[in-house]
Amino acid sequence: MTRRSHFGDLQFLHFMGNAVGEKPEVTREKLLMWMGIMCQLSLDQDGASKNDSVSRHLPESLFPRSEWASVSLRALLVATTLSYRLTDVRRRALGVCLHIVQDSYAVSHTKLPSHYHH
């Protein structure tokens, strides 16, 4: 997930468009959808559970790879790293939200590099 969220199709997780020319409105819509799920998860609201599959909450257009469809939100957030087995998923989800807010103020995440301007 880290590689994909910094250099691939999940860059909206860092408030970046997934492709040159992606409209800011599209990036924002993806980001708000993701952040809504993470907020629900962090608050332990009825809408989202750590054991829910990614596909239950997010459209295929956000996670187009078929292997992500059945992965739980918990697995998405902590992967299979053994040392993370006791991770508090609610706190991890809150951290995701705070990281998104932080990134939304980082120029490197919100401005197109000058070498992309034509």
Side-chain angles (χ1 to χ4, degrees), residues 8-116:
D9 61 328
L10 301 179
Q11 290 190 64
F12 69 87
L13 298 179
H14 290 276
F15 225 88
M16 300 182 293
N18 293 339
V20 173
E22 180 175 281
K23 293 184 179 191
E25 297 81 18
V26 172
T27 305
R28 182 182 63 232
E29 192 63 35
K30 291 176 183 178
L31 184 279
L32 291 175
M33 190 180 313
W34 171 250
M35 200 158 177
I37 298 304
M38 291 297 100
C39 283
Q40 287 179 3
L41 192 56
S42 71
L43 296 171
D44 201 23
Q45 293 181 338
D46 292 334
S49 165
K50 66 183 178 183
N51 297 317
D52 289 347
S53 67
V54 169
S55 62
R56 177 171 179 208
H57 296 284
L58 300 168
E60 189 177 317
S61 61
L62 288 186
F63 290 89
R65 294 181 174 188
S66 60
E67 67 264 23
W68 288 102
S70 61
V71 170
S72 69
L73 292 172
R74 182 188 193 294
L76 183 67
L77 292 173
V78 300
T80 57
T81 306
L82 237 43
S83 61
Y84 290 172
R85 71 184 181 285
L86 300 177
T87 297
D88 184 330
V89 176
R90 289 180 58 204
R91 287 183 179 179
R92 174 64 59 100
L94 177 60
V96 166
C97 292
L98 294 174
H99 185 80
I100 288 169
V101 171
Q102 176 187 16
D103 281 355
S104 72
Y105 287 92
V107 174
S108 64
H109 286 71
T110 59
K111 299 287 182 190
L112 193 60
S114 60
H115 66 276
Y116 282 113

